[in-house]
Protein backbone atom coordinates (compact mmCIF):
# COMPACT_ATOMS: atom_id res chain seq x y z
CA UNK A 1 0.00 0.00 0.00
CA UNK A 2 2.62 2.47 -1.14
CA UNK A 3 0.38 4.98 -2.90
CA UNK A 4 -1.81 5.91 0.09
CA UNK A 5 0.00 7.39 3.05
CA UNK A 6 -0.92 9.53 6.01
CA UNK A 7 1.64 11.81 7.60
CA UNK A 8 4.85 10.54 6.10
CA UNK A 9 5.46 6.81 6.12
CA UNK A 10 2.25 5.76 7.86
CA UNK A 11 0.13 3.71 5.49
CA UNK A 12 -3.65 3.80 5.66
CA UNK A 13 -3.59 0.06 6.30
CA UNK A 14 -1.24 0.56 9.27
CA UNK A 15 -4.01 2.30 11.17
CA UNK A 16 -5.87 0.34 13.86
CA UNK A 17 -8.81 -1.47 12.28
CA UNK A 18 -11.36 0.43 14.35
CA UNK A 19 -9.98 3.78 13.14
CA UNK A 20 -9.84 2.60 9.52
CA UNK A 21 -13.44 1.41 9.75
CA UNK A 22 -14.47 4.76 11.20
CA UNK A 23 -12.84 6.58 8.27
CA UNK A 24 -14.40 4.31 5.66
CA UNK A 25 -17.87 4.62 7.17
CA UNK A 26 -17.71 8.38 6.62
CA UNK A 27 -17.31 7.89 2.86
CA UNK A 28 -20.22 8.19 0.45
CA UNK A 29 -21.27 5.14 -1.62
CA UNK A 30 -19.34 6.40 -4.67
CA UNK A 31 -16.27 7.13 -2.54
CA UNK A 32 -16.43 3.63 -1.08
CA UNK A 33 -16.43 2.15 -4.57
CA UNK A 34 -13.41 4.25 -5.54
CA UNK A 35 -11.57 3.25 -2.39
CA UNK A 36 -12.32 -0.44 -3.07
CA UNK A 37 -10.33 -0.15 -6.31
CA UNK A 38 -7.07 0.68 -4.52
CA UNK A 39 -6.10 -2.82 -3.41
CA UNK A 40 -7.57 -6.25 -2.63
CA UNK A 41 -7.61 -5.61 1.12
CA UNK A 42 -9.64 -2.43 0.75
CA UNK A 43 -11.82 -4.06 -1.90
CA UNK A 44 -13.04 -6.65 0.59
CA UNK A 45 -13.41 -4.18 3.45
CA UNK A 46 -15.20 -1.52 1.36
CA UNK A 47 -17.60 -4.08 -0.03
CA UNK A 48 -18.46 -5.67 3.31
CA UNK A 49 -21.99 -5.54 4.72
CA UNK A 50 -21.06 -3.41 7.79
CA UNK A 51 -19.82 -0.66 5.45
CA UNK A 52 -23.13 -0.54 3.59
CA UNK A 53 -25.70 -1.08 6.35
CA UNK A 54 -25.85 2.60 7.29
CA UNK A 55 -26.11 3.68 3.64
CA UNK A 56 -29.04 1.28 3.15
CA UNK A 57 -30.80 2.53 6.30
CA UNK A 58 -30.22 6.21 5.58
CA UNK A 59 -31.57 6.19 2.04
CA UNK A 60 -33.88 3.18 1.85
CA UNK A 61 -34.91 2.50 5.43
CA UNK A 62 -38.27 4.27 5.04
CA UNK A 63 -39.41 2.18 2.08
CA UNK A 64 -37.87 -1.28 2.45
CA UNK A 65 -38.52 -3.81 5.21
CA UNK A 66 -37.69 -7.37 6.21
CA UNK A 67 -39.55 -8.76 3.22
CA UNK A 68 -37.25 -6.89 0.83
CA UNK A 69 -34.16 -8.30 2.52
CA UNK A 70 -35.61 -11.83 2.27
CA UNK A 71 -36.41 -11.33 -1.39
CA UNK A 72 -32.92 -10.03 -2.11
CA UNK A 73 -31.38 -12.95 -0.22
CA UNK A 74 -33.36 -15.29 -2.45
CA UNK A 75 -32.05 -13.62 -5.61
CA UNK A 76 -28.46 -13.69 -4.32
CA UNK A 77 -28.75 -17.38 -3.42
CA UNK A 78 -30.34 -18.14 -6.78
CA UNK A 79 -27.49 -16.45 -8.63
CA UNK A 80 -24.82 -18.26 -6.60
CA UNK A 81 -26.38 -21.67 -7.12
CA UNK A 82 -27.08 -21.10 -10.80
CA UNK A 83 -30.82 -21.62 -10.40
CA UNK A 84 -33.58 -19.38 -11.76
CA UNK A 85 -36.92 -18.17 -10.52
CA UNK A 86 -39.64 -20.84 -10.20
CA UNK A 87 -37.17 -23.38 -11.70
CA UNK A 88 -37.69 -21.89 -15.16
CA UNK A 89 -35.06 -20.74 -17.62
CA UNK A 90 -33.74 -17.24 -17.23
CA UNK A 91 -35.44 -14.71 -19.48
CA UNK A 92 -33.49 -13.58 -22.54
CA UNK A 93 -32.79 -10.22 -20.93
CA UNK A 94 -31.24 -11.90 -17.90
CA UNK A 95 -34.11 -11.17 -15.53
CA UNK A 96 -35.21 -13.29 -12.62
CA UNK A 97 -38.97 -13.21 -12.42
CA UNK A 98 -41.84 -11.98 -14.49
CA UNK A 99 -44.70 -9.51 -14.38
CA UNK A 100 -46.98 -12.09 -16.00
CA UNK A 101 -49.34 -14.36 -14.11
CA UNK A 102 -50.45 -14.12 -10.50
CA UNK A 103 -48.80 -12.52 -7.49
CA UNK A 104 -45.24 -13.89 -7.11
CA UNK A 105 -44.82 -16.78 -4.69
CA UNK A 106 -42.06 -15.39 -2.49
CA UNK A 107 -43.51 -13.44 0.44
CA UNK A 108 -44.93 -10.33 -1.27
CA UNK A 109 -42.83 -10.94 -4.38
CA UNK A 110 -40.07 -9.05 -6.16
CA UNK A 111 -38.60 -8.70 -9.61
CA UNK A 112 -34.92 -8.48 -10.53
CA UNK A 113 -34.75 -6.96 -13.98
CA UNK A 114 -31.17 -8.01 -14.75
CA UNK A 115 -29.44 -10.74 -12.75
CA UNK A 116 -26.43 -11.46 -14.98
CA UNK A 117 -24.06 -9.31 -12.91
CA UNK A 118 -24.88 -11.36 -9.78
CA UNK A 119 -23.00 -14.32 -11.21
CA UNK A 120 -19.77 -12.47 -10.49
CA UNK A 121 -18.01 -11.85 -7.18
CA UNK A 122 -20.52 -9.07 -6.48
CA UNK A 123 -22.93 -11.71 -5.20
CA UNK A 124 -20.68 -12.01 -2.12
CA UNK A 125 -21.49 -8.42 -1.09
CA UNK A 126 -25.12 -8.55 -0.01
CA UNK A 127 -25.72 -4.97 1.14
CA UNK A 128 -23.61 -3.28 -1.53
CA UNK A 129 -25.32 -5.08 -4.42
CA UNK A 130 -28.72 -4.41 -2.86
CA UNK A 131 -27.91 -0.69 -2.59
CA UNK A 132 -26.92 -0.28 -6.23
CA UNK A 133 -29.71 -2.48 -7.60
CA UNK A 134 -32.16 -0.28 -5.72
CA UNK A 135 -30.37 2.88 -6.86
CA UNK A 136 -30.35 1.98 -10.56
CA UNK A 137 -33.95 0.74 -10.58
CA UNK A 138 -32.93 -2.81 -11.44
CA UNK A 139 -34.73 -4.31 -8.42
CA UNK A 140 -38.51 -4.05 -8.10
CA UNK A 141 -39.17 -4.51 -4.40
CA UNK A 142 -42.36 -4.93 -2.32
CA UNK A 143 -43.65 -1.74 -0.72
CA UNK A 144 -46.94 -0.04 0.06
CA UNK A 145 -48.22 3.07 -1.69
CA UNK A 146 -50.51 5.65 -0.11
CA UNK A 147 -53.47 6.34 -2.40
CA UNK A 148 -55.65 8.91 -0.67
CA UNK A 149 -57.76 7.06 1.90
CA UNK A 150 -55.97 3.71 1.57
CA UNK A 151 -52.61 1.96 1.30
CA UNK A 152 -52.04 -0.60 -1.45
CA UNK A 153 -49.38 -3.29 -1.83
CA UNK A 154 -47.24 -2.96 -4.93
CA UNK A 155 -43.90 -3.65 -6.52
CA UNK A 156 -41.90 -0.44 -6.90
CA UNK A 157 -38.61 0.67 -8.37
CA UNK A 158 -36.60 3.84 -8.01
CA UNK A 159 -35.86 6.37 -10.76
CA UNK A 160 -32.68 8.21 -9.81
CA UNK A 161 -33.17 10.84 -12.53
CA UNK A 162 -36.39 12.13 -10.97
CA UNK A 163 -35.83 10.88 -7.39
CA UNK A 164 -39.28 9.24 -7.56
CA UNK A 165 -40.73 5.74 -7.92
CA UNK A 166 -42.77 3.72 -10.36
CA UNK A 167 -45.25 1.20 -8.94
CA UNK A 168 -47.04 -1.83 -10.34
CA UNK A 169 -50.02 -3.57 -8.77
CA UNK A 170 -51.32 -7.10 -9.28
CA UNK A 171 -54.88 -6.97 -10.53
CA UNK A 172 -55.53 -9.59 -13.19
CA UNK A 173 -51.90 -9.11 -14.26
CA UNK A 174 -49.21 -6.59 -13.37
CA UNK A 175 -50.45 -3.10 -14.22
CA UNK A 176 -48.76 0.27 -13.71
CA UNK A 177 -50.19 1.95 -10.60
CA UNK A 178 -48.36 5.21 -11.11
CA UNK A 179 -45.16 7.00 -12.03
CA UNK A 180 -43.36 9.90 -10.35
CA UNK A 181 -44.45 8.71 -6.90
CA UNK A 182 -42.82 10.78 -4.18
CA UNK A 183 -40.95 9.27 -1.21
CA UNK A 184 -43.62 10.47 1.23
CA UNK A 185 -46.23 8.27 -0.44
CA UNK A 186 -44.28 5.04 0.06
CA UNK A 187 -43.67 2.94 3.13
CA UNK A 188 -42.20 -0.44 4.01
CA UNK A 189 -44.90 -3.09 4.60
CA UNK A 190 -45.50 -3.05 8.39
CA UNK A 191 -46.50 -6.73 8.41
CA UNK A 192 -45.14 -9.67 6.40
CA UNK A 193 -48.57 -10.62 5.12
CA UNK A 194 -49.33 -11.53 1.48
CA UNK A 195 -51.81 -8.96 0.18
CA UNK A 196 -54.38 -11.58 -0.82
CA UNK A 197 -54.40 -13.13 2.68
CA UNK A 198 -56.38 -11.93 5.67
CA UNK A 199 -54.10 -10.58 8.39
CA UNK A 200 -54.35 -12.40 11.72
CA UNK A 201 -54.76 -9.58 14.22
CA UNK A 202 -53.14 -9.67 17.66
CA UNK A 203 -54.76 -6.52 19.07
CA UNK A 204 -58.50 -7.22 18.92
CA UNK A 205 -59.03 -7.96 22.62
CA UNK A 206 -57.46 -4.65 23.63
CA UNK A 207 -59.15 -2.30 21.15
CA UNK A 208 -61.26 0.48 22.64
CA UNK A 209 -62.94 3.69 21.40
CA UNK A 210 -60.43 6.28 20.24
CA UNK A 211 -57.80 3.78 19.09
CA UNK A 212 -56.35 4.44 15.64
CA UNK A 213 -56.18 1.43 13.34
CA UNK A 214 -55.66 0.20 9.82
CA UNK A 215 -58.14 -2.38 8.56
CA UNK A 216 -58.02 -4.59 5.47
CA UNK A 217 -60.75 -4.06 2.89
CA UNK A 218 -61.46 -5.31 -0.62
CA UNK A 219 -64.36 -4.99 -2.99
CA UNK A 220 -64.34 -8.60 -4.23
CA UNK A 221 -63.09 -11.89 -2.81
CA UNK A 222 -60.61 -12.62 -5.60
CA UNK A 223 -58.49 -9.46 -5.37
CA UNK A 224 -55.81 -8.30 -2.88
CA UNK A 225 -56.74 -6.39 0.26
CA UNK A 226 -56.00 -2.71 0.71
CA UNK A 227 -55.33 -1.13 4.12
CA UNK A 228 -57.67 1.66 5.26
CA UNK A 229 -57.17 4.12 8.09
CA UNK A 230 -59.93 4.26 10.71
CA UNK A 231 -60.72 4.96 14.37
CA UNK A 232 -62.54 2.69 16.82
CA UNK A 233 -65.85 4.30 17.81
CA UNK A 234 -68.56 3.84 20.45
CA UNK A 235 -71.59 1.60 20.18
CA UNK A 236 -74.90 3.30 19.38
CA UNK A 237 -76.15 2.45 22.87
CA UNK A 238 -73.14 4.05 24.59
CA UNK A 239 -73.33 7.55 26.05
CA UNK A 240 -69.53 7.85 25.61
CA UNK A 241 -69.02 8.50 29.33
CA UNK A 242 -65.73 6.91 30.34
CA UNK A 243 -67.16 5.79 33.70
CA UNK A 244 -69.99 3.85 32.06
CA UNK A 245 -68.64 2.94 28.60
CA UNK A 246 -68.64 -0.83 28.04
CA UNK A 247 -67.67 -0.74 24.37
CA UNK A 248 -64.28 -2.33 24.95
CA UNK A 249 -66.02 -5.48 26.23
CA UNK A 250 -68.47 -5.78 23.33
CA UNK A 251 -68.13 -8.63 20.82
CA UNK A 252 -68.68 -6.04 18.09
CA UNK A 253 -66.25 -3.31 17.10
CA UNK A 254 -67.41 -0.01 15.64
CA UNK A 255 -65.00 1.15 12.93
CA UNK A 256 -65.30 4.78 11.87
CA UNK A 257 -63.78 6.15 8.68
CA UNK A 258 -63.34 9.85 9.43
CA UNK A 259 -62.56 10.60 5.79
CA UNK A 260 -66.23 10.09 4.88
CA UNK A 261 -69.28 12.16 5.76
CA UNK A 262 -71.66 10.72 8.35
CA UNK A 263 -74.21 10.05 5.62
CA UNK A 264 -71.86 7.77 3.71
CA UNK A 265 -72.28 3.99 3.92
CA UNK A 266 -68.51 3.82 4.51
CA UNK A 267 -68.51 6.19 7.48
CA UNK A 268 -69.28 3.64 10.17
CA UNK A 269 -69.27 -0.19 10.02
CA UNK A 270 -69.44 -3.09 12.46
CA UNK A 271 -66.93 -5.93 12.57
CA UNK A 272 -66.60 -8.89 14.90
CA UNK A 273 -63.94 -8.73 17.60
CA UNK A 274 -63.08 -12.40 16.99
CA UNK A 275 -61.30 -11.37 13.80
CA UNK A 276 -63.42 -13.22 11.27
CA UNK A 277 -63.71 -11.66 7.82
CA UNK A 278 -66.74 -9.43 7.74
CA UNK A 279 -68.88 -9.11 4.63
CA UNK A 280 -70.61 -5.77 4.31
CA UNK A 281 -72.64 -4.20 1.52
CA UNK A 282 -69.55 -2.14 0.72
CA UNK A 283 -67.16 -5.09 0.50
CA UNK A 284 -65.09 -7.46 2.64
CA UNK A 285 -63.20 -6.48 5.79
CA UNK A 286 -60.26 -8.51 7.08
CA UNK A 287 -57.60 -8.06 9.76
CA UNK A 288 -56.91 -5.01 11.91
CA UNK A 289 -53.57 -3.46 12.80
CA UNK A 290 -53.50 -1.05 15.74
CA UNK A 291 -51.42 2.08 15.20
CA UNK A 292 -49.12 2.76 18.16
CA UNK A 293 -46.89 5.34 16.53
CA UNK A 294 -47.91 8.99 16.67
CA UNK A 295 -45.83 9.51 13.54
CA UNK A 296 -47.99 7.01 11.64
CA UNK A 297 -51.20 8.59 12.88
CA UNK A 298 -50.09 12.12 12.00
CA UNK A 299 -48.98 10.92 8.59
CA UNK A 300 -52.46 9.59 7.90
CA UNK A 301 -54.10 12.79 9.11
CA UNK A 302 -51.88 14.84 6.84
CA UNK A 303 -52.48 12.60 3.82
CA UNK A 304 -56.25 12.71 4.32
CA UNK A 305 -56.35 16.49 3.93
CA UNK A 306 -58.00 17.29 0.56
CA UNK A 307 -54.99 19.18 -0.82
CA UNK A 308 -52.64 16.33 0.13
CA UNK A 309 -54.24 13.66 -2.07
CA UNK A 310 -51.38 12.15 -4.12
CA UNK A 311 -51.47 12.53 -7.89
CA UNK A 312 -49.62 9.98 -10.04
CA UNK A 313 -48.92 10.13 -13.75
Amino acid sequence: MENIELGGNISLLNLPESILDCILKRLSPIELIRMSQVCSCLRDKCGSDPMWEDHIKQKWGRVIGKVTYKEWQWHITTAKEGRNLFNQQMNQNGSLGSFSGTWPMLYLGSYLQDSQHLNSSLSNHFMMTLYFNLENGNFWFPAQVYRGVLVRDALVRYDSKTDTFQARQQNGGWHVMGNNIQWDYLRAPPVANPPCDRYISDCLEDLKPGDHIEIQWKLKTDIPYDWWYAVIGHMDSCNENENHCRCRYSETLIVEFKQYSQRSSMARIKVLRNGEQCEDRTGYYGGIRKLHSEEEIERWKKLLLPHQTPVYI
Side-chain angles (χ1 to χ4, degrees), residues 167-179:
R168 287 178 180 262
Q169 61 181 327
Q170 202 284 318
N171 186 10
W174 286 100
H175 301 287
V176 174
M177 179 190 297
N179 298 312

Side-chain angles (χ1 to χ4, degrees), residues 32-295:
L32 266 180
I33 292 298
R34 290 173 180 168
M35 185 65 77
S36 71
Q37 298 170 350
V38 173
C39 66
S40 59
C41 179
L42 285 175
R43 181 185 64 224
D44 293 339
K45 184 173 285 291
C46 291
S48 65
D49 286 349
M51 288 297 156
W52 288 90
E53 285 177 356
D54 286 343
H55 291 300
I56 288 283
K57 291 177 181 178
Q58 288 172 9
K59 181 157 188 177
W60 306 103
R62 291 179 291 165
V63 297
I64 67 172
K66 293 181 180 179
V67 174
T68 298
Y69 289 109
K70 290 179 180 179
E71 287 290 321
W72 185 245
Q73 182 64 65
W74 187 88
H75 285 291
I76 288 288
T77 303
T78 296
K80 283 184 176 181
E81 297 180 359
R83 295 184 291 110
N84 19 46
L85 195 59
F86 309 142
N87 295 319
Q88 297 175 356
Q89 290 187 347
M90 185 180 295
N91 297 341
Q92 291 184 355
N93 64 356
S95 65
L96 283 172
S98 171
F99 279 124
S100 63
T102 57
W103 195 273
M105 299 177 186
L106 301 175
Y107 303 97
L108 295 186
S110 62
Y111 177 61
L112 184 58
Q113 194 158 294
D114 182 4
S115 64
Q116 294 178 350
H117 63 289
L118 292 185
N119 293 325
S120 69
S121 60
L122 289 178
S123 62
N124 294 320
H125 304 294
F126 181 92
M127 289 291 187
M128 184 180 74
T129 54
L130 173 58
Y131 182 94
F132 283 108
N133 277 274
L134 290 169
E135 181 72 25
N136 63 27
N138 186 39
F139 185 45
W140 291 76
F141 60 94
Q144 293 184 333
V145 182
Y146 287 92
R147 293 181 63 84
V149 299
L150 58 88
V151 168
R152 179 163 294 168
D153 286 282
L155 291 186
V156 303
R157 73 167 173 181
Y158 180 63
D159 182 351
S160 60
K161 294 181 180 179
T162 61
D163 193 30
T164 61
F165 295 85
Q166 181 186 29
R168 287 178 180 262
Q169 61 181 327
Q170 202 284 318
N171 186 10
W174 286 100
H175 301 287
V176 174
M177 179 190 297
N179 298 312
N180 299 320
I181 300 173
Q182 303 292 326
W183 284 84
D184 286 345
Y185 296 118
L186 253 64
R187 74 176 186 184
V191 295
N193 198 77
C196 289
D197 293 352
R198 183 170 61 86
Y199 174 63
I200 305 302
S201 307
D202 59 0
C203 63
L204 298 177
E205 293 299 321
D206 300 324
L207 288 177
K208 62 185 183 302
D211 285 342
H212 298 260
I213 65 167
E214 289 177 1
I215 183 170
Q216 287 178 311
W217 179 87
K218 59 182 177 180
L219 182 61
K220 300 183 294 184
T221 58
D222 58 346
I223 62 175
Y225 283 104
D226 295 322
W227 287 93
W228 291 60
Y229 169 72
V231 179
I232 298 298
H234 289 272
M235 301 289 293
D236 293 334
S237 58
C238 179
N239 62 9
E240 301 188 18
N241 186 313
E242 291 187 5
N243 296 327
H244 299 91
C245 177
R246 307 291 295 174
C247 295
R248 67 182 306 168
Y249 306 109
S250 172
E251 295 181 358
T252 302
L253 289 170
I254 302 299
V255 178
E256 297 179 344
F257 298 96
K258 301 295 186 180
Q259 54 268 42
Y260 292 100
S261 68
Q262 293 183 354
R263 296 181 180 180
S264 171
S265 60
M266 291 287 290
R268 183 179 169 92
I269 59 125
K270 297 179 180 180
V271 299
L272 297 176
R273 194 183 285 268
N274 62 16
E276 293 182 3
Q277 177 177 275
C278 172
E279 181 178 355
D280 184 82
R281 63 185 181 276
T282 60
Y284 298 86
Y285 295 88
I288 291 176
R289 187 176 79 90
K290 183 177 178 180
L291 301 183
H292 298 280
S293 167
E294 286 297 326
E295 182 180 352

